[in-house]
Amino acid sequence: MTVKELCSSCGFEEICMPEPEREVSGAYIGDLLSWVMGRAGFDQAWITIMSNINVIAVASLSDVACVILAEGVTLEEEIKATALQKGINVLKSSKPTYETAQLLFGKV
């Protein structure tokens, strides 16, 4: 499933999607950035409530397919601009983290 398809099928809001056709092959949930860096896999959707600039750096280093901000968290405009520049797809879910993860079950 692509990031664009995942966004649509789960009802997520698109914050920025510079690579909509990127394939999503699984999911990782975490907020401790050093932990995510060592464990999130290539092409996974990363669910977090963190929204600072370091999230974009970790997403780039981990080469995740997208970041899904749960609990209605959003990005400041300058962080969104950095995500676009680095080719990081960022989606938003208004649901709690657990419910956001449930939406992915069986899809990725």
Side-chain angles (χ1 to χ4, degrees):
M1 171 170 285
T2 67
V3 173
K4 183 177 182 175
E5 292 167 339
L6 182 70
C7 184
S8 177
S9 70
C10 292
F12 298 143
E13 179 184 328
E14 176 186 327
I15 292 179
C16 63
M17 202 179 307
E19 294 187 23
E21 299 305 315
R22 177 98 185 248
E23 289 291 324
V24 182
S25 64
Y28 189 83
I29 303 167
D31 297 319
L32 185 58
L33 299 180
S34 60
W35 197 264
V36 173
M37 238 183 339
R39 289 171 174 78
F42 172 76
D43 278 347
Q44 288 186 326
W46 169 26
I47 303 171
T48 185
I49 59 167
M50 302 284 292
S51 64
N52 61 43
I53 192 68
N54 294 327
V55 168
I56 304 307
V58 169
S60 180
L61 287 170
S62 300
D63 203 13
V64 295
C66 64
V67 176
I68 303 171
L69 301 174
E71 314 246 358
V73 171
T74 193
L75 291 180
E76 294 178 12
E77 285 300 315
E78 63 232 23
I79 298 172
K80 179 181 171 181
T82 301
L84 283 168
Q85 179 186 29
K86 292 190 176 283
I88 305 298
N89 297 309
V90 182
L91 312 176
K92 176 181 173 180
S93 171
S94 60
K95 298 189 178 305
T97 304
Y98 178 74
E99 291 177 25
T100 299
Q102 285 180 314
L103 291 171
L104 300 180
F105 186 75
K107 294 180 180 169
V108 296

